[in-house]
């Protein structure tokens, strides 16, 4: 055990985690030249395309230092704020972390929040200054920021360039010297923490775990503590680029377990594996995921509902932060109400359903959770606008607020404060980290942050500002349910819960947007935005008309009028029984309101 090191790489998005992981694998000879490619651990097409890590990946390396062989278990983690749950799980399985900071960008918001996660779990931090070969690098200034942030010595910071392979030896040495070996009792009762799971269509579910105490052997009868299920460990092994079966996985090591588990809900990330005949306690200190954004996902064809359910179950295995339950909608039929960690997470899930499972889905307007206090004194959690009780029965509504941390260049402070004020934010603090970098703290409603706040923030600050947020509790707000009606019928999939001050503006813009998106029919379509019974905005999509006067050449006006009246009667009859076709773009129009 004294020669095992478990560590993860944490950083803000785009600071070079995956590239550094590539170099470490190359340097330790885990991968030969033939298998080498950029972002070798990111095995999803989507991750490669977007250049982001979505899922944490564990891999084992062998490294020789001063004549001794060391086993290094590396976990590469995502950097985007939406996937911080993946990071928290990876941190739970490690004793140390490489904190990677880009020498040209400096310390950013996600760097700080991931660092606090790691310090909270008593991890040893090794600061790495990456990309020092860039012409825009500012190694001295950024080193000052790191020293101030962690309180380490300047000589502790390793200068590296993952792309050029500079400083990789120093990093490997530091991992061996500075990170402590795992603690645990190899002869004690088996305790292994599940920190990930992957669905394999041939072999069932592969469980990825870290052994805290004891040893797990092939053929053991094991039990999952939280679910109470028992299995036989058909195959255990370690994670190289491909899985390598072993007879046993020992204390302190990271490995995988295959035991023909077919059902997704039988594996809970954060659960403990122990022996059936000699059980141990569950491992403490693993928090449940809290979804921030809720949206409905519906199959385009209602007959595909069961296939969508299967796809969601399999996807939940590869993505433990996805939460869902079945729901029905008058407009869209049967589907699921899903909880996501943020808008990027929602986009990724939708894209993965289409690519990996060949499902075409319609996504409704995302919303956050609200607490409705009724006049009878009850408290209800509302996730979808359709669950909202009648305004008569509502005493008051509370919405979730978040603490937002923004780190930006000094010149963008003004526009960013203005943006946050527009989004009903209150500024709490403003700290100058250096002469040119400012940390702003706000309290804002979550509903305002999840929509397009991140995009606007990046636009205003030319990509420099970085964002991190955490829940700060519930506050009372004047929220109303805004309904969209087409020809008098409410379309529940387009409803939204908005602040009363913004309702008129929102309704008006949405009606205008829908007017452009709805195809013209043979009859007139009235698009209305309403709060309760009160209509606050209206647009009309004009009917397509056949030119019935084409055959009239000359002649009296009464002949023309007769034909027009006849057409008018036909249109009227049509309007009574007409139904409106709504394209998928219309459901997403709400997201793109400027």
């Amino acid at each position: 055990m004294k020669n095992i090191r478990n560590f993860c790489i944490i950083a803000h998005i785009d600071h070079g985690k995956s590239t550094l992981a590539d170099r470490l694998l190359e340097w330790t000879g885990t991968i030969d030249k033939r298998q080498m490619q950029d972002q070798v651990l990111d095995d999803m097409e989507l991750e490669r395309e977007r250049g982001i890590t979505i899922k944490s990946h564990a891999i084992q390396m062998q490294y020789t230092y001063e004549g001794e062989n060391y086993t290094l278990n590396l976990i590469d983690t995502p950097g985007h704020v939406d996937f911080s749950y993946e990071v928290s799980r990876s941190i739970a399985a490690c004793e140390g972390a490489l904190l990677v900071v880009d020498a040209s960008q400096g310390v950013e918001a996600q760097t700080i929040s991931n660092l606090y996660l790691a310090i909270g779990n008593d991890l040893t931090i090794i600061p790495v200054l990456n990309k020092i070969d860039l012409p825009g690098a500012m190694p001295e200034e950024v080193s000052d920021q790191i020293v101030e942030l962690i309180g380490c010595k300047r000589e502790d910071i390793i200068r590296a360039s993952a792309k050029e392979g500079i400083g990789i030896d120093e990093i490997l040495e530091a991992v061996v010297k500075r990170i402590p070996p795992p603690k645990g009792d190899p002869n004690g009762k088996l305790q292994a923490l599940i920190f990930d799971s992957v669905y394999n269509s041939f072999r069932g579910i592969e469980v990825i775990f870290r052994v805290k105490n004891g040893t797990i052997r092939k053929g053991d009868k094991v039990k999952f503590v939280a679910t109470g299920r028992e299995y036989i460990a058909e195959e255990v092994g370690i994670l190289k680029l491909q899985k390598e079966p072993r007879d046993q996985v020992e204390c302190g090591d990271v490995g995988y377990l295959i035991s023909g588990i077919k059902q997704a809900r039988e594996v809970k990330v954060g659960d403990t594996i122990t022996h059936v005949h000699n059980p141990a306690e569950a491992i403490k200190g693993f928090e449940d995921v809290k979804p921030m954004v809720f949206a409905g996902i519906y199959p385009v064809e209602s007959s595909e509902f069961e296939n969508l359910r299967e796809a969601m179950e399999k996807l939940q295995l590869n993505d433990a932060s996805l939460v869902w339950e079945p729901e029905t909608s008058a407009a869209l039929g049967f589907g699921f109400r899903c909880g996501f960690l943020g808008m990027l997470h929602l986009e990724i899930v939708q894209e993965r359903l289409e690519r990996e499972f060949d499902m075409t889905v319609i996504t409704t307007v995302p919303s956050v959770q609200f607490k409705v206090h009724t006049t009878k004194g009850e408290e209800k959690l509302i996730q979808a606008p359709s669950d909202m009780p009648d305004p008569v029965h509502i005493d008051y509504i509370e919405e979730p607020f978040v603490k937002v941390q923004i780190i930006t260049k000094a010149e963008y402070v003004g526009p960013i404060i203005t943006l946050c004020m527009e989004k009903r934010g209150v500024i709490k603090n403003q700290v100058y980290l250096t002469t040119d970098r400012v940390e702003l703290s706000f309290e804002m409603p979550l509903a305002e942050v999840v929509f397009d706040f991140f995009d606007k923030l990046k636009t205003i600050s030319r990509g420099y500002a970085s964002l991190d947020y955490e829940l700060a509790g519930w506050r009372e707000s004047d929220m109303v349910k805004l309904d969209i009606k087409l020809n008098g019928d409410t379309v529940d999939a387009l409803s939204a819960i908005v602040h009363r001050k913004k309702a008129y503006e929102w309704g008006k813009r949405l009606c205008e947007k829908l007017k452009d998106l709805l195809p013209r029919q043979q009859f007139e379509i009235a698009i209305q935005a309403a709060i309760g019974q009160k209509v606050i905005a209206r647009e009309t999509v004009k009917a397509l008309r056949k030119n019935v006067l084409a055959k009239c050449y000359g002649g009296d006006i009464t002949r023309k009028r007769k034909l027009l009246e006849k057409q008018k009667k036909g249109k009227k009859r049509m309007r009574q029984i007409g139904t409106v076709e709504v394209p998928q773009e219309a459901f997403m129009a709400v997201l793109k309101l400027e």
Side-chain angles (χ1 to χ4, degrees), residues 342-379:
M343 292 298 286
L344 177 70
H345 189 202
L346 163 72
E347 211 177 297
I348 295 288
V349 166
Q350 194 180 343
E351 191 123 330
R352 284 183 71 181
L353 281 171
E354 287 182 8
R355 286 190 186 195
E356 295 172 29
F357 302 98
D358 215 17
M359 298 294 311
T360 346
V361 293
I362 290 176
T363 316
T364 64
V365 185
S367 73
V368 300
Q369 259 184 337
F370 294 94
K371 270 186 194 167
V372 173
H373 295 262
T374 60
T375 45
K376 290 179 183 171
E378 296 169 348
E379 185 185 288

Side-chain angles (χ1 to χ4, degrees), residues 127-395:
V128 176
L129 190 59
N130 195 18
K131 307 193 186 181
I132 57 163
D133 58 315
L134 289 184
M138 311 172 291
E140 298 308 321
E141 286 175 40
V142 180
S143 295
D144 289 342
Q145 290 175 25
I146 297 175
V147 169
E148 207 168 299
L149 183 66
I150 311 178
C152 62
K153 298 191 183 83
R154 278 184 84 92
E155 52 270 23
D156 289 348
I157 301 171
I158 299 170
R159 297 192 174 191
S161 162
K163 201 168 186 182
E164 300 298 324
I166 302 166
I168 304 299
D169 283 324
E170 286 89 336
I171 292 175
L172 286 166
E173 267 177 45
V175 166
V176 170
K177 278 186 185 167
R178 297 190 208 171
I179 294 177
K183 297 183 179 74
D185 176 8
N187 305 318
K189 296 178 178 179
L190 172 66
Q191 266 188 324
L193 174 77
I194 301 177
F195 68 90
D196 209 349
S197 59
V198 184
Y199 181 75
N200 179 331
S201 46
F202 301 107
R203 312 200 55 185
I205 291 152
E206 298 166 357
V207 179
I208 296 171
F209 59 85
R210 148 82 200 270
V211 185
K212 296 277 189 186
N213 288 309
T215 303
I216 184 167
R217 294 179 179 80
K218 190 178 172 177
D220 279 357
K221 276 196 83 173
V222 294
K223 175 181 170 185
F224 289 11
V225 178
T227 54
R229 298 294 185 110
E230 296 180 2
Y231 306 100
I232 287 173
E234 290 171 15
E235 184 182 306
V236 295
I238 56 163
L239 299 147
K240 288 287 180 76
L241 197 57
Q242 260 64 45
K243 294 179 176 53
E244 286 190 11
R246 295 282 160 96
D247 289 335
Q248 60 184 39
V249 178
E250 290 165 8
C251 183
D253 221 339
V254 173
Y256 71 94
L257 160 80
I258 295 177
S259 55
I261 306 171
K262 294 283 184 289
Q263 289 293 321
R265 58 183 79 90
E266 292 178 27
V267 179
K268 272 199 165 62
V269 169
D271 196 357
T272 305
I273 306 175
T274 184
H275 281 131
V276 173
H277 57 267
N278 190 8
E281 308 272 288
I283 298 167
K284 300 266 187 308
F286 203 82
E287 54 190 68
D288 257 348
V289 55
K290 299 180 190 70
M292 297 275 195
V293 183
F294 295 86
I297 287 186
Y298 293 85
V300 175
E301 296 291 331
S302 50
S303 58
E304 291 195 337
F305 175 70
E306 281 306 321
N307 298 359
L308 180 61
R309 179 195 289 271
E310 266 178 46
M312 296 292 272
E313 281 186 358
K314 289 171 186 170
L315 193 57
Q316 195 173 21
L317 277 178
N318 289 349
D319 183 352
S321 44
L322 175 67
V323 184
W324 54 269
E325 58 188 32
E327 75 162 357
T328 52
S329 147
L332 300 170
F334 291 103
F336 298 97
R337 166 95 351 208
C338 307
F340 305 95
L341 296 176
M343 292 298 286
L344 177 70
H345 189 202
L346 163 72
E347 211 177 297
I348 295 288
V349 166
Q350 194 180 343
E351 191 123 330
R352 284 183 71 181
L353 281 171
E354 287 182 8
R355 286 190 186 195
E356 295 172 29
F357 302 98
D358 215 17
M359 298 294 311
T360 346
V361 293
I362 290 176
T363 316
T364 64
V365 185
S367 73
V368 300
Q369 259 184 337
F370 294 94
K371 270 186 194 167
V372 173
H373 295 262
T374 60
T375 45
K376 290 179 183 171
E378 296 169 348
E379 185 185 288
K380 289 184 179 173
L381 273 180
I382 304 292
Q383 291 176 1
S386 53
D387 303 341
M388 193 84 143
D390 205 299
V392 186
H393 303 306
I394 296 175
D395 183 15

